[in-house]
Amino acid sequence: MGRRFGPYGGAYVPETLVPALDELASEWRTARSEPSFRAELRRYSTTLGGRPTPLYFAERLTRRAGGAEIWLKREDLVHGGAHKFNNALGQGLLARRMGKPRVIAETGAGQHGVASAMIGAALGLDTVVYMGEVDMARQRPNVDRMRLLGARVVPVRSGSRTLKDAINAALRDWITNVRTTHYLLGSAVGPHPFPSIVAELQSVIGREIRTQSRRAFGRLPDLAVACVGGGSNAIGTFHPLRNTGVELLGVEAGGPARSRVGAASLTRGRPGILHGAYTYVLSDADGQVRETESLSAGLDYAGVGPEHAWLRDTGRARYVAVHDDDALRAFRWLAEDEGILPALEPAHAVFAAVRAARRRPRTQHVVVTLSGRGDKDLEVVTRAGRARAR
Ligand SMILES: *Cc1c(COP(=O)(O)O)cnc(C)c1O
């Protein structure tokens, strides 16, 4: 478990957190190789989570693209409707194993908060979710879900009252309550060892892609595509494929057509420190973190996991930004061609996958990770449709 990915990663945190991070790293090292822990993880993944998720041949979408075959890795079918479950489950089991009765989590759109609340309930952990006040207003249904699942949702009133402020609040809580509390971080970001733990828990996605693509079309895909917010579903897709010849394409949110920022830290940011890690960050010339803009709440984050920063610099993975309008277009393609309403986050990846498939021969295979389902985005999509019709 590397502490650094090239120059990226590390743990830029207050002194008081260092013992907690060290403890977490060592507990994880033990747990991950322990047969009983792995058996528990497998049991809940299958019987509560619904794994393995299918690899689906998107035949009509392939015909629309008119090139390489497009296959969808169906993380939208995981319990709760997104890949977030994979990580919340693993860390929940780890918290229980460490004897910590309380978990805290941060959430932006509410997806990770809901996943944490589900796991908290299933494992009998006291769950507290920090959420920016602005996000609470924007994502009301997820606030209700978390509360129904027995979690306490704490409004964060500092800064821009969104995700990055919720992360800061969760870190502060952790510093105070570290003896009883595990911080269930929601993406492959933050200080070591979080990016490595989250990557490993999400790697179930890429491992299944490896097995399922061999079974479905006799070899590995030529290209794997995933959307990148903090980067957890993408790193889970890429990790098990990184030592193969599979091309890797990460897709960030480009935001509105005229936006110069969007939420594209790898394609438009620069190296800096955010939330305890050295990575690519959207910041201004004075090093201030910029306000991001994206139609999809799950991609709306100014930083990115440090391992992606290194994959970018080394050229092992490529990253592009896709604008709001193109993500909406891909949302409609998937709805009308395949009968699937995707979340807006992976709709960005679907757009990039269709564009890539179009330029490739029919003999090639493109796998795109469909990180979540679109129920949460219906209002945004419908409103955008009405605005267009006017
Ligand atoms: C949260 C979320 C994302 C973005 O998070 P990553 O850590 O980059 O995977 C993407 N898709 C869905 C459906 C999400 O809920």
Side-chain angles (χ1 to χ4, degrees):
M1 220 166 45
R3 195 183 160 75
R4 293 271 178 178
F5 308 95
Y8 300 108
Y12 299 85
V13 295
E15 202 75 43
T16 40
L17 271 186
V18 173
L21 291 169
D22 287 347
E23 181 201 17
L24 183 60
S26 104
E27 290 280 343
W28 173 247
R29 249 191 324 270
T30 318
R32 66 192 282 274
S33 52
E34 204 171 72
S36 59
F37 182 82
R38 297 165 65 101
E40 281 273 84
L41 188 58
R42 202 170 321 116
R43 179 166 74 85
Y44 280 104
S45 295
T46 52
T47 57
L48 183 64
R51 301 211 74 87
T53 60
L55 183 66
Y56 170 72
F57 177 36
E59 198 173 340
R60 283 173 32 90
L61 187 68
T62 295
R63 213 174 304 146
R64 178 191 289 274
E69 289 186 6
I70 301 171
W71 292 71
L72 307 176
K73 179 57 177 164
R74 299 290 311 276
E75 292 302 293
D76 58 315
L77 297 178
V78 177
H79 182 39
H83 69 294
K84 296 271 189 328
F85 176 91
N86 305 329
N87 171 49
L89 169 63
Q91 287 197 51
L93 287 172
L94 187 62
R96 199 166 72 172
R97 190 184 172 283
M98 287 190 290
K100 300 204 170 173
R102 180 173 179 265
V103 293
I104 55 173
E106 83 297 337
T107 200
Q111 297 301 104
H112 175 58
V114 170
S116 300
M118 278 177 355
I119 293 303
L123 301 182
L125 302 163
D126 182 20
T127 308
V128 176
V129 180
Y130 287 94
M131 188 168 189
E133 226 173 24
V134 170
D135 289 334
M136 284 180 73
R138 284 195 291 206
Q139 310 286 337
R140 199 73 226 170
N142 275 341
V143 175
D144 295 339
R145 282 187 191 105
M146 287 183 262
R147 288 182 172 149
L148 289 169
L149 290 161
R152 191 157 69 84
V153 182
V154 180
V156 177
R157 300 196 172 88
S158 54
S160 55
R161 295 174 292 152
T162 58
L163 177 62
K164 74 172 160 46
D165 312 294
I167 298 180
N168 288 329
L171 282 167
R172 272 195 302 276
D173 177 316
W174 202 32
I175 291 170
T176 315
N177 301 300
V178 68
R179 285 223 324 280
T180 58
T181 300
H182 172 64
Y183 179 12
L184 208 173
L185 192 52
S187 188
V189 302
H192 175 81
F194 282 110
S196 301
I197 294 176
V198 177
E200 192 165 335
L201 290 169
Q202 293 293 0
S203 286
V204 66
I205 302 172
R207 284 197 305 273
E208 287 178 9
I209 290 175
R210 233 167 32 194
T211 314
Q212 291 170 325
S213 54
R214 286 202 177 105
R215 201 178 302 142
F217 45 84
R219 55 196 171 90
L220 293 175
D222 298 277
L223 172 70
V225 188
C227 64
V228 179
S232 72
N233 86 90
I235 208 71
T237 302
F238 295 173
H239 230 247
L241 301 171
R242 72 193 188 286
N243 297 324
T244 69
V246 178
E247 286 175 58
L248 308 173
L249 178 63
V251 185
E252 299 190 299
R258 277 187 304 275
S259 172
R260 303 215 350 259
V261 187
S265 30
L266 288 163
T267 44
R268 297 176 191 168
R270 63 184 96 193
I273 290 172
L274 184 64
H275 295 131
Y278 183 60
T279 184
Y280 276 81
V281 183
L282 285 165
S283 55
D284 60 25
D286 302 327
Q288 291 289 76
V289 177
R290 302 178 69 157
E291 290 299 320
T292 52
E293 292 182 274
S294 169
L295 174 83
S296 88
L299 301 183
D300 211 350
Y301 178 59
V304 66
E307 192 169 0
H308 285 293
W310 185 231
L311 288 172
R312 172 203 184 277
D313 282 12
T314 57
R316 179 60 191 93
R318 232 160 27 84
Y319 296 86
V320 294
V322 162
H323 285 295
D324 287 353
D325 282 350
D326 289 332
L328 284 167
R329 196 170 298 155
F331 179 100
R332 282 190 293 270
W333 292 341
L334 212 50
E336 290 165 19
D337 289 354
E338 302 294 344
I340 296 170
L341 299 173
L344 281 170
E345 292 85 2
H348 290 73
V350 170
F351 182 84
V354 167
R355 196 170 51 187
R358 191 165 283 154
R359 301 187 192 123
R360 288 165 186 259
R362 286 167 203 278
T363 49
Q364 291 204 2
H365 302 85
V366 175
V367 169
V368 49
T369 297
L370 204 59
S371 53
R373 66 176 183 227
D375 307 48
K376 68 181 179 61
D377 296 318
L378 293 190
E379 203 187 307
V380 176
V381 174
T382 316
R383 213 183 313 127
R386 272 202 302 272
R388 189 185 316 269
R390 248 184 265 126

